[in-house]
Amino acid sequence: MSRSEEDCSSSSEDEDVTVDEGKVQELEDKILANPYDYGSHVELLNFLDKCGDVDRCREVRERMSGLFPLTPEMWLAWIKQERLFLPLDRERVRDTLRNLYSRAVKDYSSIRLWCEYCSDVISVLEYSEDRTREIFELALSNIGLHVSKGGELWEQFRQYEDTLLQTIKEQLDQEDCPEREFVQDLYNKQRSRVDALFQRQLAVPLTGLEYTMSEYKTWIGEGADIPVALLNRYETALKKREAVMSYEQALEISAAPHEEEYFHYIEYERKHGDPARVICLMERAITDNPLNSNRWVDYLQYLDQVLKVKSVVLSAYGRAVRNVPWIVDIWTQFMLAQQRYQLHFSHIDETLEEALKNGFQDAASYLSLWKCYLSCHWRQERFQPLKTNGSEEHLENNPLNSAFERSINFMNQTFGEEGDPSGELTRFMAECEGERDDVSSFRVLMSGLFESKIYKEQSSLWLEYISMELRFGEVSEARKIYQKAVQCSTDSPQLIIQQFLNFETVHGTLETYDNAALKCRRQQKKINEKTAKEAEKLALQNKKHSDNKGKNKQPTPGKSKTEQSDKNSKHVSSKKRKISSEPENQKDAKVVKPSTKSPEKPSFPKKPIQDNSEIDKSKYPLTVFVSNLSYDATEDHLNDTFKHIGSIVDIRLVKSVNNKSRGFGYIEFHTREEVMSALELDRVLVLGRPCYVSECKEKSVGSKTEFKYKTTIESHKLFVNNLPYTTTDAELREMFGKISAIKSLRMVTTKSGKFKGFAYVEYSDSESAKKAILELNDTLVGDRKMSVAISNPPGKSASQKHSDSSLMTEKPEEGTKRKAKMNFMIPRAISQPKTKQSEGGKVGNKAAASQNDIVAESSDKGTHSAKSNHEVPRKMMSNSEFSKLFNK
C-alpha cells in the first residue's frame, strides 16, 4: 500500500462509532503474523480513528513509529489529535507535543510539518527565546532553501523576532522606564537581529523575494540607503531563482512522485548549486517518494563524497534503512559509515541485528552483509587489538572468531552450501588466521573447506589456497596442495597443470619437477579420455538430432509446404534457450520473508515478437536495442531503468511462442536526443546483469558489432588490473577520487554481471592520470597488489586477425570438435614442438622436453593443429631462457 495522504486520513470530527472488536482482532492477528505488513497497520489505525478510540490509536501509532518512518501527514494527524487535550492537561500535552514534533522532523523534511512546528513553538510549546531560535534555525537549515515555499519559514521567524522587538519598544516608550540604557541596548540588539534576518532572506532565491525587499525598505524607513553588498546579493538571488523557476513549475504541474522532474532539477543543481541547495532538493525528492531506493542510494553517496558531516550522514543512513530496508547495499554502507566516524562497535552490532530482522530475498544479499560486518570486525581487531595477556585463547574468546562461526552457520543453515558457493566466509576467516601467524588454524579451515565437492572442483579456489600457503606457510605444503588440486579440480584442470609446472620450475628441484610432470601427464591422459568420450557422445546426439530434423522436414499429407515450414520453425524456436528464469545469484535461495502479494496471471500475447522484423524500419532512429537481459526482466524493469531519460513510447520484449523472454528487446522514444541519452546507459545493471544498449539497425549478412571503446593509447585514462573480484564501484571511486575528479569509471564484467578483476578510470587530464599511477600503483587492495597503468589496449595485426578467423572457420573432423577446443586451453608455454636435446643439455631443456611429452599425449588422442609445411626448427633454450618463459 502506498504511503500517501489517504493512509492517514483523520476522522476525529466524525461521530464516535462502536468499535467492532472482531474486526480489530482480525487486523491485530495479521500484524502479529507479519509485523512489517504496513497496509494492515494503516487499516487498523484508520478504523480505530473512525471509531474515535484515541488511546488505541496512540498505541498503534507508537508501534508503527518503531517499525516504519511515518509520513508527514500521519505525524500531523497524530499531533492534531493530541492537541485536542491541551485544555484538560496543558503541561502533559505540551510535553507530548514537544516529543512528537522532535521525532516527526527526523523522519522527513516536510515544509508543512516544519511550519506547523514553528507555529506551535511560538503559541503552544512555550520554549525559551534561545530554544525557539534554535528550532527556527534548524528549520531553515533543513527546508529554508525551498524555492517555492521556503519563504513561509523566513516570514514566521521574522514575525517572531519583530514581535519581541515591538515588546521591547513599548517598554522603551514608557516615560518611567526603569534601566532605560539596558532596555535601549536590548532594543538595538533585537533590531539588529531583524535586520540580519531580512538580509539573509534577501540573499536566498525564493518566490516573493520582491515583496520582501519592499517590506525591508519600509522597515528601514524612507530615504535610508540599502547597502550595496545587499543589493548585489539580492540581484544574484533573483537570477538564480529565474534559472530554476522552470524546474519548480514542472514540479507544480506534474503528478507525484515527480521522478523525472526531480532528476533533471537535481542534475542542474549539482552542476551549478552549492551542497546545501542540492541536499535540500534531494530531501524534497525523498519526501515525495520515500520508497525509491535509487534516490536514497544517490543521496547517501552524495553525502559520503561531498558533505562528509558526521551527524547529517549518520542520520540520513538511519532514515534510509527504515524506508528501504530491503536494499542490502545501504545496510553495508551504513556499517562502514559508523566505523568511518569512529562510533563504538556496539552500534555496528546493532545495525547488523536490525538488518538480519528485515530479511532479504537471496543468499547473495546476506553474504554481502556478513562480509561487510566481518571486515569491520577485522579492522577493529587490527587497529584496536584485544589484550590477551599472552594467552592463546583467541579461538574460543575472540569476538571476531565467534562472528565468523556465526556467519558460516547462518549461511549453511539458511541456504546450504550454495549460499556461499565460493566459500568466501571460510576463506576470509582462514586469511585472518594467517595474518595472525596462526598457520595451523589457517590450514585446518582451508582443508576443511575442500572436503565439500562444491569447492573441491573449483580451480580458482585451489590456486587461492596455494597462494595463501605460500604467504603464510611453507613451499612443501604448497606442493602437497598442488598434487591434490591436479587430481580434484575439474572446471579448469589445464590451468592447475600449468601453474603446478611453473611452481616446480621456480621452487623445485629436477626430481620434484619430474614427479610433477609425471603426475600432470597422467592426469592429462585421463582428461583426454574423458574428453574423447564426451565428444563421441555429443556426435551421437547430433546425429540423432539431424535424423529427427530430417523426418520433421517431410511434408504432411494434405498440408502445403508453407504451412509445414511454419510449423517446423515454431517447433524449433520453442526449444531454444530453455534456461532457468532465476538469476544466478538467486538460484535455490530461501526466501526468509515471502511476499504477501499473490502473483498476477500473465497475459499471453497472441503473436509474440520473434525478432526485429516486426519493427517499423522508419522507427529505427528512435529505437534502441537492449540485450543480455535476465530472463526475469520485464517491461516494468526496463521502464524503471530508462524512464528518467524522457517519455517512452513503447517497450517490446522479444519472446518465444511460450511467452518466455528471450533476453533482448526494443525501447522506442519520442526524440533522437532521448535515444542518445539511452545509449549512454550501456551496461547499466538490470536485475544484476549488465544491459547492453545499442542502436536499432537492420540485420545484414556478415555484419559485426564495432568495438565502442578506443584501442589506442589514452594518456588521461588508466587501466587498473589485478583487483579482487569483490571490489565495488564505490571503493574504486573513493581511491581514485582522492587524486582528482573522475570523469568516468568502467568496471569490466562478464555477461552475467560478475566483475572480471580489472577496470578503466578516466580523468579529464593526463596529469591526474600520472599522479594516480605514482600514488596508487602496487597498492594493496584486499590480498592483491593493484596494477595501475596508462590505457594502451593491444591492437591486433592483420596476421593475428587472419589466424583467428582461420581457427574459427576451420571445420574439424567428426567427433573431434570438443578435443580441438580443449587443445586451445593447453598453455602456450608447454605446447612447444619437440626439439632434439643437444649435448650437455641441462635441466631447462629436459623440462621443456618433459612438458612437450605431456602435450604430445594430448595430440595423440585426436587433437588437430595446423602446421606449416616449411616449419623452421626452434633453437634450443638455455636454463635462463626457459625460466623467463614461465615468469612472463
Side-chain angles (χ1 to χ4, degrees):
M1 182 179 292
S2 173
R3 301 181 187 177
S4 60
E5 192 167 347
E6 290 82 8
D7 289 344
C8 56
S9 57
S10 175
S11 55
S12 58
E13 297 177 1
D14 297 343
E15 295 181 0
D16 290 352
V17 181
T18 304
V19 178
D20 184 353
E21 293 296 339
K23 175 72 171 177
V24 173
Q25 189 60 45
E26 179 184 350
L27 293 171
E28 289 284 7
D29 292 340
K30 285 184 180 180
I31 295 171
L32 183 63
N34 182 10
Y36 292 92
D37 184 358
Y38 184 81
S40 295
H41 283 282
V42 172
E43 186 178 355
L44 177 60
L45 177 60
N46 288 337
F47 180 75
L48 293 174
D49 190 28
K50 184 177 180 181
C51 297
D53 195 334
V54 177
D55 292 333
R56 283 204 278 188
C57 280
R58 186 183 296 116
E59 293 175 3
V60 173
R61 288 187 174 109
E62 286 288 357
R63 185 168 57 192
M64 286 187 68
S65 177
L67 297 171
F68 316 102
L70 303 186
T71 63
E73 292 77 18
M74 296 183 76
W75 280 112
L76 290 172
W78 191 356
I79 291 169
K80 180 180 178 181
Q81 195 172 63
E82 294 292 344
R83 196 188 285 120
L84 296 175
F85 298 95
L86 195 61
L88 301 177
D89 191 346
R90 186 174 185 83
E91 185 174 351
R92 182 191 65 80
V93 175
R94 184 190 61 196
D95 293 340
T96 300
L97 292 178
R98 287 178 176 178
N99 176 263
L100 291 180
Y101 273 122
S102 62
R103 290 163 58 188
V105 295
K106 291 178 181 178
D107 276 352
Y108 300 110
S109 291
S110 164
I111 185 70
R112 182 184 171 193
L113 186 58
W114 274 110
C115 287
E116 289 287 337
Y117 188 13
C118 292
S119 177
D120 279 357
V121 162
I122 299 173
S123 60
V124 178
L125 302 183
E126 300 177 5
Y127 281 120
S128 65
E129 291 182 12
D130 291 340
R131 177 57 181 159
T132 301
R133 290 191 180 103
E134 286 179 9
I135 293 173
F136 269 113
E137 291 292 349
L138 187 62
L140 292 178
S141 65
N142 276 272
I143 211 71
L145 298 179
H146 194 301
V147 176
S148 59
K149 299 179 181 178
E152 298 179 29
L153 283 173
W154 290 95
E155 294 293 332
Q156 282 185 322
F157 197 2
R158 280 196 296 106
Q159 287 177 7
Y160 170 72
E161 295 290 0
D162 193 58
T163 301
L164 294 179
L165 180 65
Q166 296 303 320
T167 302
I168 299 174
K169 187 175 183 302
E170 290 176 0
Q171 296 179 10
L172 195 61
D173 290 342
Q174 296 177 3
E175 294 182 359
D176 56 345
C177 175
E179 300 180 355
R180 179 173 293 277
E181 292 183 1
F182 175 74
V183 176
Q184 183 67 48
D185 185 54
L186 285 179
Y187 177 80
N188 293 336
K189 289 181 179 179
Q190 187 61 27
R191 185 174 177 83
S192 298
R193 286 195 184 98
V194 177
D195 186 79
L197 270 178
F198 264 119
Q199 295 200 28
R200 287 171 60 190
Q201 183 179 356
L202 289 170
V204 179
L206 303 169
T207 56
L209 207 57
E210 297 85 350
Y211 178 74
T212 305
M213 175 56 83
S214 65
E215 277 191 307
Y216 180 63
K217 291 177 179 179
T218 303
W219 187 78
I220 62 175
E222 295 182 3
D225 293 331
I226 300 176
V228 177
L230 174 59
L231 289 174
N232 292 335
R233 291 196 298 270
Y234 172 69
E235 293 296 332
T236 303
L238 289 177
K239 292 178 181 178
K240 286 184 178 180
R241 188 191 65 182
E242 291 305 314
V244 300
M245 279 310 296
S246 60
Y247 297 103
E248 290 288 341
Q249 291 169 0
L251 288 172
E252 285 290 332
I253 63 177
S254 62
H258 320 288
E259 283 301 319
E260 183 179 353
E261 291 76 17
Y262 274 123
F263 174 81
H264 295 298
Y265 198 174
I266 291 172
E267 286 300 307
Y268 172 83
E269 287 291 3
R270 276 183 161 177
K271 294 178 181 178
H272 303 90
D274 57 53
R277 294 182 57 78
V278 176
I279 291 172
C280 179
L281 187 56
M282 285 184 165
E283 286 284 0
R284 289 172 58 185
I286 285 172
T287 303
D288 284 346
N289 189 7
L291 302 184
N292 186 329
S293 58
N294 292 331
R295 181 65 64 212
W296 276 109
V297 170
D298 188 37
Y299 181 38
L300 296 172
Q301 287 179 349
Y302 184 83
L303 294 178
D304 281 333
Q305 297 171 6
V306 178
L307 192 65
K308 299 180 182 179
V309 176
K310 176 180 177 180
S311 59
V312 178
V313 172
L314 294 179
S315 173
Y317 271 110
R319 292 187 293 130
V321 296
R322 281 164 57 83
N323 280 275
V324 286
W326 57 87
I327 305 299
V328 70
D329 288 344
I330 294 181
W331 287 102
T332 57
Q333 291 300 316
F334 190 12
M335 288 190 283
L336 293 176
Q338 289 174 320
Q339 190 166 52
R340 186 178 299 117
Y341 292 109
Q342 300 180 355
L343 267 65
H344 192 273
F345 202 81
S346 60
H347 292 281
I348 300 177
D349 288 330
E350 293 172 2
T351 302
L352 173 72
E353 298 303 329
E354 287 297 322
L356 293 174
K357 289 178 185 177
N358 283 282
F360 304 102
Q361 294 295 317
D362 53 59
S365 296
Y366 281 103
L367 185 61
S368 176
L369 182 71
W370 279 111
K371 282 164 55 181
C372 180
Y373 173 73
L374 294 170
S375 67
C376 291
H377 230 313
W378 174 237
R379 278 190 291 270
Q380 178 79 3
E381 179 177 305
R382 286 171 60 198
F383 299 110
Q384 296 182 6
L386 295 174
K387 297 180 181 179
T388 57
N389 298 322
S391 64
E392 299 182 357
E393 300 179 353
H394 71 277
L395 282 175
E396 293 79 11
N397 301 326
N398 190 287
L400 176 59
N401 286 79
S402 301
F404 269 118
E405 292 172 4
R406 182 189 173 195
S407 66
I408 294 170
N409 292 335
F410 177 91
M411 296 302 295
N412 288 336
Q413 293 172 6
T414 310
F415 302 103
E417 288 183 340
E418 293 185 358
D420 187 3
S422 299
E424 293 183 64
L425 298 178
T426 303
R427 288 189 286 125
F428 188 9
M429 185 177 182
E431 190 168 10
C432 291
E433 294 293 359
E435 292 290 347
R436 293 167 171 165
D437 296 328
D438 190 349
V439 181
S440 60
S441 297
F442 152 72
R443 288 173 181 159
V444 168
L445 289 167
M446 291 303 295
S447 60
L449 180 69
F450 287 96
E451 291 177 0
S452 173
K453 183 179 179 181
I454 191 175
Y455 306 123
K456 188 185 296 184
E457 297 176 348
Q458 300 183 45
S459 300
S460 60
L461 297 187
W462 283 108
L463 293 176
E464 184 171 352
Y465 182 12
I466 294 165
S467 175
M468 287 194 288
E469 179 62 44
L470 291 173
R471 283 171 56 198
F472 307 129
E474 302 173 355
V475 172
S476 58
E477 290 295 328
R479 180 175 290 109
K480 294 178 183 178
I481 301 171
Y482 261 123
Q483 292 171 355
K484 293 179 183 178
V486 168
Q487 300 294 326
C488 299
S489 64
T490 59
D491 59 346
S492 185
Q494 278 77 14
L495 179 62
I496 295 292
I497 290 174
Q498 178 191 9
Q499 294 297 327
F500 191 12
L501 295 175
N502 291 351
F503 169 81
E504 291 297 352
T505 301
V506 176
H507 299 283
T509 64
L510 178 60
E511 181 181 359
T512 59
Y513 183 89
D514 288 340
N515 292 334
L518 179 61
K519 291 180 183 294
C520 292
R521 192 180 298 112
R522 290 173 179 172
Q523 186 64 17
Q524 184 68 60
K525 184 178 180 180
K526 293 179 182 179
I527 293 171
N528 292 338
E529 291 174 353
K530 183 178 179 181
T531 304
K533 291 180 181 179
E534 291 177 353
E536 184 179 350
K537 183 179 179 181
L538 180 63
L540 184 61
Q541 291 176 350
N542 291 338
K543 185 177 180 181
K544 288 182 179 180
H545 179 69
S546 60
D547 292 342
N548 294 333
K549 188 175 180 181
K551 291 179 182 179
N552 292 334
K553 287 183 178 180
Q554 297 177 2
T556 304
K559 289 188 177 182
S560 66
K561 292 183 179 180
T562 304
E563 292 174 339
Q564 185 67 24
S565 176
D566 291 342
K567 181 178 180 181
N568 288 336
S569 64
K570 290 181 179 180
H571 176 72
V572 174
S573 64
S574 66
K575 291 186 177 182
K576 285 185 178 180
R577 293 179 69 178
K578 287 191 175 180
I579 301 176
S580 171
S581 62
E582 293 184 6
E584 185 177 345
N585 63 344
Q586 294 185 9
K587 192 173 182 181
D588 296 330
K590 294 183 181 179
V591 178
V592 177
K593 279 192 182 172
S595 176
T596 56
K597 296 182 180 179
S598 58
E600 298 180 359
K601 186 176 180 181
S603 57
F604 293 88
K606 295 181 179 180
K607 187 179 180 182
I609 300 177
Q610 298 297 322
D611 52 29
N612 68 344
S613 61
E614 298 185 21
I615 307 299
D616 187 355
K617 294 181 181 179
S618 64
K619 296 181 179 180
Y620 281 3
L622 301 178
T623 305
V624 295
F625 176 67
V626 290
S627 58
N628 196 45
L629 297 171
S630 166
Y631 295 106
D632 279 348
T634 64
E635 288 85 351
D636 291 338
H637 292 120
L638 292 177
N639 183 64
D640 291 341
T641 305
F642 291 89
K643 65 183 180 180
H644 68 275
I645 292 175
S647 301
I648 297 176
V649 178
D650 192 16
I651 299 177
R652 300 184 290 279
L653 271 180
V654 179
K655 299 182 180 180
S656 65
V657 292
N658 295 328
N659 205 43
K660 299 288 187 180
S661 171
R662 296 177 62 188
F664 59 94
Y666 305 87
I667 303 178
E668 182 182 344
F669 294 93
H670 276 292
T671 65
R672 182 64 182 169
E673 289 75 15
E674 293 172 344
V675 170
M676 301 309 295
S677 299
L679 293 174
E680 294 178 1
L681 292 180
D682 184 33
R683 287 174 170 76
V684 65
L685 291 182
V686 178
L687 293 185
R689 287 177 67 90
C691 170
Y692 300 159
V693 186
S694 59
E695 293 196 56
C696 184
K697 297 181 180 180
E698 187 174 2
K699 291 183 178 179
S700 59
V701 178
S703 62
K704 294 183 179 180
T705 303
E706 295 182 359
F707 190 61
K708 63 179 289 185
Y709 301 103
K710 292 184 179 180
T711 57
T712 57
I713 188 169
E714 296 178 86
S715 60
H716 62 287
K717 183 182 289 187
L718 300 174
F719 174 63
V720 186
N721 194 15
N722 199 36
L723 294 167
Y725 297 118
T726 56
T727 307
T728 63
D729 182 277
E731 291 173 346
L732 287 180
R733 288 186 182 276
E734 183 177 358
M735 282 190 288
F736 288 87
K738 295 176 181 178
I739 305 299
S740 180
I742 297 174
K743 184 178 179 181
S744 68
L745 189 150
R746 178 167 64 94
M747 299 184 70
V748 182
T749 63
T750 63
K751 287 188 176 182
S752 60
K754 292 183 178 179
F755 181 45
K756 296 176 72 173
F758 60 95
Y760 292 91
V761 179
E762 183 178 359
Y763 289 109
S764 299
D765 55 88
S766 58
E767 293 301 321
S768 299
K770 293 176 183 177
K771 184 179 179 182
I773 294 175
L774 294 174
E775 294 189 14
L776 298 179
N777 187 40
D778 287 338
T779 300
L780 195 64
V781 179
D783 59 346
R784 298 189 178 188
K785 279 191 176 181
M786 176 176 63
S787 170
V788 184
I790 295 295
S791 175
N792 185 18
K796 285 191 175 183
S797 63
S799 60
Q800 286 177 314
K801 294 178 181 179
H802 174 73
S803 175
D804 292 346
S805 62
S806 64
L807 287 173
M808 295 302 293
T809 57
E810 182 181 358
K811 185 176 181 181
E813 296 180 9
E814 184 178 358
T816 62
K817 184 176 181 181
R818 288 291 293 270
K819 289 187 179 181
K821 185 176 181 180
M822 295 297 292
N823 190 39
F824 297 148
M825 298 176 67
I826 296 175
R828 289 175 293 175
I830 64 173
S831 61
Q832 309 293 344
K834 287 188 178 181
T835 59
K836 293 183 179 180
Q837 186 175 352
S838 61
E839 294 182 6
K842 297 184 180 180
V843 177
N845 296 330
K846 182 175 181 180
S850 176
Q851 295 177 57
N852 291 331
D853 290 341
I854 299 173
V855 182
E857 286 192 22
S858 176
S859 300
D860 292 341
K861 294 295 179 179
T863 306
H864 298 274
S865 60
K867 294 184 179 180
S868 171
N869 294 330
H870 304 284
E871 186 176 5
V872 180
R874 294 180 183 269
K875 183 180 177 181
M876 190 72 65
M877 290 185 293
S878 66
N879 287 342
S880 59
E881 290 173 335
F882 184 74
S883 178
K884 290 178 181 179
L885 182 65
F886 280 105
N887 291 313
K888 281 185 178 180

